[in-house]
Amino acid sequence: MATEALIERILAAGDGPSSSAIDALHELLDDATIEASAMPKSVAEAARLVGLSTHTLRYYEQEGLVRPARNTSGYRAYSALDLRRLVFLTRMRLSGMTMTDLKRYILLVEQGPDTIPERRRIMLDQQDRIKRQIRELGLALEITEYKIRVYDGHPED
């Protein structure tokens, strides 16, 4: 499936990760599924597609997280691979991964397969942070739901 269609499926997922969205995400992260014939996207098109501002895309480029090619007019041309990296970056930032950790991870990716053990360690650490956030959010949700139940029994006018 085309990168753009996979991204649209992921972003269209409702309140929670459906099996369809998860399948699309897995396919999106599999470099073997990148279509060679996909037309590069402008910075505005790429920003719209991944749900970021053009400013953020330029910042990510400045920080070395993504390196889109330039077309004959000198404008950024985001390939399918660039778009897929942007999806990864947005998910990691959403989960609280620091820019320092992201830059370290991308640097390791660009150094090749010898860095896989260190990349795995970074992802394991991030997994631990995400699981803790989920537990903390679960408790916050429980407190919120409790308060709603309390207020349902004692409406204020």
Side-chain angles (χ1 to χ4, degrees), residues 4-48:
E4 187 168 345
L6 290 168
I7 292 171
E8 295 288 351
R9 267 178 56 196
I10 292 167
L11 295 179
D15 291 339
S18 66
S19 61
S20 173
I22 291 169
D23 290 345
L25 183 60
H26 288 177
E27 191 173 340
L28 193 62
L29 295 175
D30 181 358
D31 290 346
T33 65
I34 294 177
E35 62 283 2
S37 62
M39 293 295 297
K41 305 288 182 215
S42 70
V43 67
E45 292 169 323
R48 180 198 57 75

Short mmCIF file of all heavy atoms in Angstrom, two decimals, residues 4-48:
data_model
loop_
_atom_site.label_atom_id
_atom_site.label_comp_id
_atom_site.label_asym_id
_atom_site.label_seq_id
_atom_site.Cartn_x
_atom_site.Cartn_y
_atom_site.Cartn_z
N GLU A 4 1.27 7.27 1.54
CA GLU A 4 0.25 8.27 1.85
C GLU A 4 -1.03 7.60 2.36
O GLU A 4 -1.62 8.04 3.35
CB GLU A 4 -0.05 9.11 0.62
CG GLU A 4 -0.97 10.28 0.90
CD GLU A 4 -1.04 11.28 -0.24
OE1 GLU A 4 -0.20 11.24 -1.14
OE2 GLU A 4 -1.98 12.09 -0.20
N ALA A 5 -1.43 6.53 1.74
CA ALA A 5 -2.64 5.82 2.17
C ALA A 5 -2.46 5.22 3.56
O ALA A 5 -3.39 5.22 4.38
CB ALA A 5 -3.01 4.74 1.16
N LEU A 6 -1.28 4.69 3.85
CA LEU A 6 -1.02 4.12 5.17
C LEU A 6 -1.08 5.20 6.24
O LEU A 6 -1.66 5.00 7.32
CB LEU A 6 0.35 3.43 5.20
CG LEU A 6 0.47 2.14 4.40
CD1 LEU A 6 1.93 1.72 4.28
CD2 LEU A 6 -0.35 1.04 5.06
N ILE A 7 -0.49 6.35 5.96
CA ILE A 7 -0.51 7.45 6.92
C ILE A 7 -1.95 7.90 7.17
O ILE A 7 -2.36 8.11 8.31
CB ILE A 7 0.37 8.62 6.44
CG1 ILE A 7 1.85 8.21 6.46
CG2 ILE A 7 0.16 9.85 7.32
CD1 ILE A 7 2.79 9.21 5.79
N GLU A 8 -2.72 8.02 6.10
CA GLU A 8 -4.13 8.43 6.23
C GLU A 8 -4.90 7.42 7.09
O GLU A 8 -5.71 7.81 7.93
CB GLU A 8 -4.79 8.57 4.86
CG GLU A 8 -4.23 9.68 3.99
CD GLU A 8 -4.57 11.09 4.45
OE1 GLU A 8 -5.41 11.25 5.36
OE2 GLU A 8 -4.00 12.03 3.89
N ARG A 9 -4.65 6.12 6.92
CA ARG A 9 -5.33 5.09 7.72
C ARG A 9 -4.99 5.25 9.20
O ARG A 9 -5.86 5.11 10.06
CB ARG A 9 -4.92 3.69 7.26
CG ARG A 9 -5.86 3.11 6.23
CD ARG A 9 -5.45 1.76 5.74
NE ARG A 9 -5.29 0.75 6.77
CZ ARG A 9 -4.65 -0.40 6.56
NH1 ARG A 9 -4.13 -0.68 5.37
NH2 ARG A 9 -4.53 -1.29 7.51
N ILE A 10 -3.73 5.52 9.49
CA ILE A 10 -3.30 5.66 10.88
C ILE A 10 -3.95 6.88 11.51
O ILE A 10 -4.49 6.82 12.61
CB ILE A 10 -1.76 5.75 10.97
CG1 ILE A 10 -1.15 4.41 10.58
CG2 ILE A 10 -1.33 6.18 12.38
CD1 ILE A 10 0.33 4.47 10.33
N LEU A 11 -3.93 8.00 10.81
CA LEU A 11 -4.46 9.23 11.37
C LEU A 11 -5.98 9.22 11.45
O LEU A 11 -6.57 9.93 12.26
CB LEU A 11 -3.98 10.43 10.56
CG LEU A 11 -2.47 10.68 10.60
CD1 LEU A 11 -2.10 11.87 9.75
CD2 LEU A 11 -1.97 10.86 12.02
N ALA A 12 -6.63 8.39 10.63
CA ALA A 12 -8.09 8.31 10.64
C ALA A 12 -8.60 7.43 11.78
O ALA A 12 -9.79 7.43 12.07
CB ALA A 12 -8.59 7.77 9.31
N ALA A 13 -7.71 6.70 12.42
CA ALA A 13 -8.13 5.84 13.52
C ALA A 13 -8.78 6.68 14.61
O ALA A 13 -8.27 7.74 14.97
CB ALA A 13 -6.93 5.07 14.08
N GLY A 14 -9.88 6.21 15.12
CA GLY A 14 -10.67 6.97 16.09
C GLY A 14 -10.00 7.12 17.43
O GLY A 14 -8.85 7.53 17.54
N ASP A 15 -10.71 6.72 18.47
CA ASP A 15 -10.27 6.94 19.84
C ASP A 15 -9.09 6.08 20.26
O ASP A 15 -8.36 6.44 21.15
CB ASP A 15 -11.43 6.68 20.81
CG ASP A 15 -12.51 7.74 20.69
OD1 ASP A 15 -12.19 8.84 20.20
OD2 ASP A 15 -13.65 7.45 21.09
N GLY A 16 -8.93 4.94 19.65
CA GLY A 16 -7.86 4.05 20.08
C GLY A 16 -7.27 3.33 18.90
O GLY A 16 -7.81 3.38 17.80
N PRO A 17 -6.15 2.68 19.11
CA PRO A 17 -5.51 1.97 18.02
C PRO A 17 -6.30 0.73 17.61
O PRO A 17 -6.39 -0.22 18.36
CB PRO A 17 -4.13 1.60 18.58
CG PRO A 17 -4.30 1.62 20.06
CD PRO A 17 -5.42 2.57 20.36
N SER A 18 -6.91 0.79 16.43
CA SER A 18 -7.64 -0.36 15.91
C SER A 18 -6.64 -1.32 15.28
O SER A 18 -5.50 -0.96 15.01
CB SER A 18 -8.66 0.09 14.87
OG SER A 18 -7.98 0.61 13.74
N SER A 19 -7.09 -2.54 15.02
CA SER A 19 -6.18 -3.49 14.37
C SER A 19 -5.80 -2.99 12.99
O SER A 19 -4.68 -3.19 12.53
CB SER A 19 -6.81 -4.88 14.31
OG SER A 19 -7.99 -4.85 13.55
N SER A 20 -6.70 -2.31 12.30
CA SER A 20 -6.41 -1.75 10.99
C SER A 20 -5.31 -0.69 11.07
O SER A 20 -4.39 -0.67 10.25
CB SER A 20 -7.68 -1.14 10.38
OG SER A 20 -7.39 -0.48 9.18
N ALA A 21 -5.41 0.19 12.06
CA ALA A 21 -4.40 1.24 12.22
C ALA A 21 -3.05 0.64 12.62
O ALA A 21 -2.00 1.07 12.14
CB ALA A 21 -4.85 2.25 13.26
N ILE A 22 -3.09 -0.37 13.47
CA ILE A 22 -1.85 -1.02 13.90
C ILE A 22 -1.20 -1.74 12.73
O ILE A 22 0.02 -1.65 12.52
CB ILE A 22 -2.10 -1.96 15.09
CG1 ILE A 22 -2.46 -1.12 16.33
CG2 ILE A 22 -0.89 -2.85 15.36
CD1 ILE A 22 -2.97 -1.91 17.50
N ASP A 23 -2.00 -2.43 11.92
CA ASP A 23 -1.46 -3.08 10.72
C ASP A 23 -0.84 -2.05 9.79
O ASP A 23 0.23 -2.28 9.23
CB ASP A 23 -2.56 -3.85 9.98
CG ASP A 23 -3.02 -5.10 10.73
OD1 ASP A 23 -2.30 -5.53 11.67
OD2 ASP A 23 -4.09 -5.62 10.38
N ALA A 24 -1.52 -0.93 9.61
CA ALA A 24 -1.00 0.13 8.74
C ALA A 24 0.31 0.68 9.29
O ALA A 24 1.26 0.92 8.53
CB ALA A 24 -2.03 1.24 8.57
N LEU A 25 0.38 0.85 10.61
CA LEU A 25 1.60 1.36 11.22
C LEU A 25 2.75 0.38 11.02
O LEU A 25 3.85 0.78 10.65
CB LEU A 25 1.37 1.62 12.71
CG LEU A 25 2.55 2.22 13.47
CD1 LEU A 25 2.95 3.57 12.89
CD2 LEU A 25 2.21 2.36 14.94
N HIS A 26 2.50 -0.89 11.21
CA HIS A 26 3.56 -1.90 11.01
C HIS A 26 4.04 -1.90 9.57
O HIS A 26 5.23 -1.97 9.30
CB HIS A 26 3.06 -3.28 11.42
CG HIS A 26 2.91 -3.45 12.89
ND1 HIS A 26 2.42 -4.59 13.45
CD2 HIS A 26 3.15 -2.62 13.92
CE1 HIS A 26 2.39 -4.47 14.77
NE2 HIS A 26 2.82 -3.27 15.07
N GLU A 27 3.09 -1.81 8.64
CA GLU A 27 3.47 -1.78 7.23
C GLU A 27 4.25 -0.50 6.91
O GLU A 27 5.20 -0.52 6.14
CB GLU A 27 2.22 -1.88 6.35
CG GLU A 27 2.55 -2.12 4.89
CD GLU A 27 1.32 -2.39 4.04
OE1 GLU A 27 0.26 -2.77 4.57
OE2 GLU A 27 1.44 -2.22 2.82
N LEU A 28 3.85 0.59 7.54
CA LEU A 28 4.51 1.86 7.31
C LEU A 28 5.95 1.84 7.81
O LEU A 28 6.83 2.47 7.22
CB LEU A 28 3.73 2.97 8.01
CG LEU A 28 4.07 4.40 7.65
CD1 LEU A 28 3.80 4.66 6.19
CD2 LEU A 28 3.29 5.36 8.51
N LEU A 29 6.20 1.11 8.87
CA LEU A 29 7.55 1.05 9.43
C LEU A 29 8.43 0.01 8.75
O LEU A 29 9.63 -0.07 9.03
CB LEU A 29 7.47 0.80 10.93
CG LEU A 29 6.82 1.92 11.74
CD1 LEU A 29 6.69 1.52 13.20
CD2 LEU A 29 7.58 3.21 11.60
N ASP A 30 7.86 -0.77 7.84
CA ASP A 30 8.61 -1.79 7.11
C ASP A 30 9.15 -1.18 5.82
O ASP A 30 8.41 -0.93 4.89
CB ASP A 30 7.68 -2.97 6.80
CG ASP A 30 8.38 -4.09 6.06
OD1 ASP A 30 9.58 -3.95 5.74
OD2 ASP A 30 7.72 -5.10 5.79
N ASP A 31 10.45 -0.94 5.78
CA ASP A 31 11.06 -0.31 4.60
C ASP A 31 10.85 -1.10 3.32
O ASP A 31 10.92 -0.56 2.23
CB ASP A 31 12.56 -0.09 4.82
CG ASP A 31 12.84 0.99 5.86
OD1 ASP A 31 11.91 1.74 6.21
OD2 ASP A 31 13.99 1.08 6.32
N ALA A 32 10.57 -2.40 3.45
CA ALA A 32 10.36 -3.23 2.26
C ALA A 32 9.08 -2.85 1.52
O ALA A 32 8.91 -3.21 0.36
CB ALA A 32 10.32 -4.71 2.65
N THR A 33 8.19 -2.12 2.18
CA THR A 33 6.92 -1.75 1.54
C THR A 33 6.96 -0.37 0.89
O THR A 33 5.94 0.11 0.41
CB THR A 33 5.75 -1.79 2.55
OG1 THR A 33 5.96 -0.78 3.54
CG2 THR A 33 5.62 -3.16 3.19
N ILE A 34 8.11 0.27 0.88
CA ILE A 34 8.20 1.61 0.29
C ILE A 34 8.10 1.51 -1.22
O ILE A 34 8.81 0.74 -1.86
CB ILE A 34 9.51 2.31 0.70
CG1 ILE A 34 9.50 2.58 2.19
CG2 ILE A 34 9.69 3.61 -0.08
CD1 ILE A 34 10.76 3.19 2.73
N GLU A 35 7.20 2.29 -1.78
CA GLU A 35 6.98 2.30 -3.21
C GLU A 35 7.98 3.25 -3.88
O GLU A 35 8.09 4.42 -3.51
CB GLU A 35 5.54 2.67 -3.54
CG GLU A 35 5.12 4.06 -3.10
CD GLU A 35 4.81 4.23 -1.60
OE1 GLU A 35 4.93 3.26 -0.83
OE2 GLU A 35 4.45 5.33 -1.20
N ALA A 36 8.71 2.73 -4.86
CA ALA A 36 9.74 3.52 -5.53
C ALA A 36 9.15 4.60 -6.42
O ALA A 36 9.79 5.62 -6.68
CB ALA A 36 10.65 2.60 -6.35
N SER A 37 7.94 4.40 -6.89
CA SER A 37 7.34 5.32 -7.86
C SER A 37 6.60 6.49 -7.23
O SER A 37 6.08 7.34 -7.95
CB SER A 37 6.38 4.54 -8.76
OG SER A 37 5.33 4.00 -7.97
N ALA A 38 6.54 6.56 -5.91
CA ALA A 38 5.78 7.62 -5.25
C ALA A 38 6.39 8.98 -5.55
O ALA A 38 7.60 9.16 -5.51
CB ALA A 38 5.75 7.38 -3.75
N MET A 39 5.51 9.91 -5.86
CA MET A 39 5.96 11.28 -6.13
C MET A 39 6.35 11.95 -4.82
O MET A 39 5.62 11.86 -3.83
CB MET A 39 4.84 12.08 -6.81
CG MET A 39 4.49 11.61 -8.20
SD MET A 39 5.86 11.84 -9.36
CE MET A 39 6.03 13.61 -9.34
N PRO A 40 7.50 12.63 -4.81
CA PRO A 40 7.90 13.35 -3.60
C PRO A 40 6.88 14.44 -3.26
O PRO A 40 6.19 14.97 -4.13
CB PRO A 40 9.24 13.98 -3.98
CG PRO A 40 9.71 13.23 -5.17
CD PRO A 40 8.48 12.75 -5.88
N LYS A 41 6.79 14.75 -1.98
CA LYS A 41 5.85 15.74 -1.49
C LYS A 41 6.59 17.04 -1.14
O LYS A 41 7.71 17.00 -0.66
CB LYS A 41 5.14 15.24 -0.22
CG LYS A 41 4.43 13.92 -0.37
CD LYS A 41 3.20 14.05 -1.21
CE LYS A 41 2.48 12.72 -1.30
NZ LYS A 41 1.85 12.52 -2.58
N SER A 42 5.90 18.15 -1.34
CA SER A 42 6.45 19.44 -0.92
C SER A 42 6.40 19.50 0.61
O SER A 42 5.76 18.67 1.26
CB SER A 42 5.62 20.58 -1.51
OG SER A 42 4.34 20.61 -0.89
N VAL A 43 7.04 20.52 1.17
CA VAL A 43 7.02 20.65 2.63
C VAL A 43 5.58 20.85 3.12
O VAL A 43 5.19 20.28 4.15
CB VAL A 43 7.97 21.78 3.12
CG1 VAL A 43 7.50 23.15 2.68
CG2 VAL A 43 8.17 21.72 4.63
N ALA A 44 4.77 21.59 2.40
CA ALA A 44 3.38 21.81 2.80
C ALA A 44 2.58 20.50 2.72
O ALA A 44 1.80 20.20 3.62
CB ALA A 44 2.74 22.89 1.93
N GLU A 45 2.78 19.74 1.65
CA GLU A 45 2.07 18.46 1.50
C GLU A 45 2.50 17.48 2.58
O GLU A 45 1.66 16.79 3.17
CB GLU A 45 2.34 17.86 0.12
CG GLU A 45 1.72 18.63 -1.03
CD GLU A 45 2.23 18.15 -2.38
OE1 GLU A 45 3.43 17.79 -2.50
OE2 GLU A 45 1.43 18.14 -3.33
N ALA A 46 3.80 17.42 2.84
CA ALA A 46 4.30 16.50 3.86
C ALA A 46 3.77 16.90 5.24
O ALA A 46 3.35 16.04 6.02
CB ALA A 46 5.83 16.50 3.86
N ALA A 47 3.76 18.19 5.52
CA ALA A 47 3.27 18.67 6.82
C ALA A 47 1.79 18.30 6.99
O ALA A 47 1.39 17.80 8.05
CB ALA A 47 3.46 20.18 6.93
N ARG A 48 1.00 18.51 5.96
CA ARG A 48 -0.43 18.18 6.03
C ARG A 48 -0.61 16.69 6.24
O ARG A 48 -1.39 16.25 7.08
CB ARG A 48 -1.14 18.61 4.75
CG ARG A 48 -2.65 18.28 4.76
CD ARG A 48 -3.27 18.29 3.38
NE ARG A 48 -2.66 17.37 2.43
CZ ARG A 48 -2.81 16.04 2.42
NH1 ARG A 48 -3.54 15.45 3.34
NH2 ARG A 48 -2.23 15.29 1.51
#
